[in-house]
Coordinates of all heavy atoms in Angstrom, one line a residue:
Chain B
Q46 N 34.0 20.7 -19.4 CA 35.5 20.7 -19.2 C 35.9 19.8 -18.1 O 37.0 19.3 -18.0 CB 36.0 22.1 -19.1 CG 35.5 22.8 -17.9 CD 36.4 24.0 -17.5 OE1 37.6 23.9 -17.4 NE2 35.7 25.1 -17.2
I87 N 27.1 23.1 3.8 CA 26.6 22.4 2.6 C 27.5 21.1 2.4 O 28.7 21.2 2.3 CB 26.7 23.2 1.4 CG1 25.8 24.5 1.5 CG2 26.2 22.4 0.1 CD1 24.3 24.3 1.7
E106 N 20.4 7.9 14.6 CA 21.5 7.2 15.2 C 22.2 8.1 16.2 O 22.6 7.7 17.3 CB 22.5 6.7 14.1 CG 23.4 5.7 14.7 CD 24.2 5.0 13.6 OE1 23.7 4.8 12.5 OE2 25.4 4.6 13.9
E146 N -7.5 19.3 3.6 CA -7.9 19.0 2.2 C -7.0 19.6 1.1 O -7.0 19.2 0.0 CB -9.3 19.6 2.0 CG -9.4 21.1 2.2 CD -10.8 21.6 2.1 OE1 -11.5 21.3 1.0 OE2 -11.3 22.4 3.0
I178 N 2.7 24.3 -0.5 CA 3.9 24.8 0.3 C 3.5 24.8 1.7 O 2.5 25.4 2.2 CB 4.3 26.2 -0.2 CG1 4.7 26.1 -1.7 CG2 5.4 26.8 0.6 CD1 4.9 27.5 -2.3
A182 N 8.4 28.0 8.0 CA 8.9 29.0 9.0 C 8.2 28.8 10.4 O 8.9 28.9 11.4 CB 8.7 30.4 8.5
H196 N 14.2 19.1 10.0 CA 14.7 18.8 8.7 C 13.6 19.1 7.7 O 12.4 18.8 8.0 CB 15.2 17.4 8.6 CG 15.4 16.9 7.2 ND1 14.5 16.1 6.5 CD2 16.4 17.2 6.2 CE1 14.9 15.9 5.3 NE2 16.0 16.5 5.1
S219 N 17.2 19.1 2.5 CA 17.7 18.3 1.4 C 17.3 19.0 0.0 O 16.3 19.6 -0.1 CB 17.0 16.9 1.4 OG 17.2 16.3 2.6
L234 N 23.0 18.1 1.2 CA 22.3 18.3 2.5 C 22.9 19.5 3.2 O 24.1 19.6 3.3 CB 22.5 17.0 3.4 CG 21.8 17.1 4.8 CD1 20.3 17.1 4.6 CD2 22.3 15.9 5.6
A271 N 23.6 26.1 -11.6 CA 22.1 26.1 -11.7 C 21.4 26.7 -10.5 O 20.4 27.4 -10.7 CB 21.7 24.6 -11.9
A272 N 21.9 26.5 -9.3 CA 21.3 27.1 -8.2 C 21.5 28.6 -8.2 O 20.5 29.3 -7.9 CB 22.0 26.6 -6.9
L274 N 21.8 30.6 -10.9 CA 20.9 31.1 -11.9 C 19.5 31.1 -11.5 O 18.8 32.1 -11.7 CB 21.1 30.3 -13.2 CG 22.5 30.4 -13.9 CD1 22.6 29.5 -15.1 CD2 22.7 31.9 -14.4
Y303 N -16.9 18.3 -14.0 CA -16.5 17.2 -13.1 C -14.9 17.2 -13.0 O -14.3 16.1 -13.1 CB -17.0 15.9 -13.6 CG -18.5 15.9 -13.8 CD1 -19.0 15.8 -15.0 CD2 -19.4 16.0 -12.7 CE1 -20.4 15.8 -15.3 CE2 -20.7 16.0 -12.9 CZ -21.3 15.9 -14.2 OH -22.6 15.9 -14.4
T348 N 0.0 4.1 -12.9 CA 1.3 4.7 -13.2 C 2.2 4.5 -12.0 O 3.4 4.8 -12.1 CB 1.1 6.2 -13.5 OG1 0.4 6.8 -12.4 CG2 0.3 6.4 -14.8
L392 N -6.2 19.2 -24.0 CA -6.7 18.4 -22.9 C -8.2 18.1 -22.9 O -8.6 17.0 -22.7 CB -6.1 18.9 -21.6 CG -6.4 18.1 -20.3 CD1 -5.8 16.7 -20.4 CD2 -5.8 18.8 -19.1

Side-chain angles (χ1 to χ4, degrees):
Chain B
Q46 62 159 313
I87 300 295
E106 194 169 329
E146 60 182 310
I178 298 172
H196 166 256
S219 303
L234 180 66
L274 293 172
Y303 307 109
T348 54
L392 185 58

